[in-house]
Amino acid sequence: MTRGIRFSSDPADLDRERVHRWLSEHAYWALGRTREAQDAAIAGSRNYGAYDEQTGEQLGYARVVTDAVTFAWLCDVIVDPGARGRGVGVGLVGFVLADLDPLGLKRIALATGDAHGVYERFGFEPLSNPEQWMVRGVNAVER
């Protein structure tokens, strides 16, 4: 684990206002997302947080959309701008994957525009057959 950082999968630990602010103001994929949409996303997902052990302040967030049997989508991974460079993101992704491992999922997917190196550490790789994948709404702004 990352020294001085506590990881949790308990949604009651989340600082929802802080998570919404990070995503709606700093995440290129969620700019302008409403608080209502974020709260609904939290309610429909497995949620993970990283917290400073001394202050209890939330330092990072991630969520997973899954059927808990065959597939998961890792999304909304974000670290407070002031906590970057401390291993929060790497520790958080490791915690999430350790939590998902017992499910025996066939596939965990994600999309990233700037953190390929972080995810490669955990075995993520580009799609081997991207022509088999399709998406709807790729040009739509997420709200």
Side-chain angles (χ1 to χ4, degrees), residues 13-33:
D13 290 343
L14 296 175
D15 181 339
R16 289 173 180 242
E17 178 58 39
R18 177 175 274 232
V19 168
H20 174 253
R21 186 174 61 252
W22 289 337
L23 290 167
S24 67
E25 296 176 10
H26 300 285
Y28 62 86
W29 65 91
L31 292 175
R33 183 183 291 170

Side-chain angles (χ1 to χ4, degrees), residues 21-129:
R21 186 174 61 252
W22 289 337
L23 290 167
S24 67
E25 296 176 10
H26 300 285
Y28 62 86
W29 65 91
L31 292 175
R33 183 183 291 170
T34 67
R35 174 68 190 269
E36 178 181 55
Q38 183 59 44
D39 285 343
I42 288 170
S45 304
R46 293 171 80 117
N47 297 275
Y48 301 88
Y51 306 87
D52 185 289
E53 283 186 328
Q54 290 184 344
T55 66
E57 177 183 24
Q58 187 165 355
L59 304 174
Y61 173 73
R63 71 183 179 94
V64 172
V65 181
T66 184
D67 62 9
V69 178
T70 63
F71 180 81
W73 178 266
L74 174 59
C75 55
D76 286 347
V77 179
I78 193 160
V79 174
D80 183 279
R84 293 182 183 157
R86 292 178 46 191
V88 175
V90 170
L92 183 58
V93 170
F95 180 79
V96 169
L97 295 176
D99 186 61
L100 296 177
D101 277 347
L103 301 177
L105 301 168
K106 180 178 179 180
R107 183 173 290 114
I108 301 172
L110 63 82
T112 184
D114 59 357
H116 295 79
V118 170
Y119 299 111
E120 287 170 350
R121 291 180 179 191
F122 296 98
F124 286 91
E125 56 191 38
L127 295 172
S128 58
N129 297 305

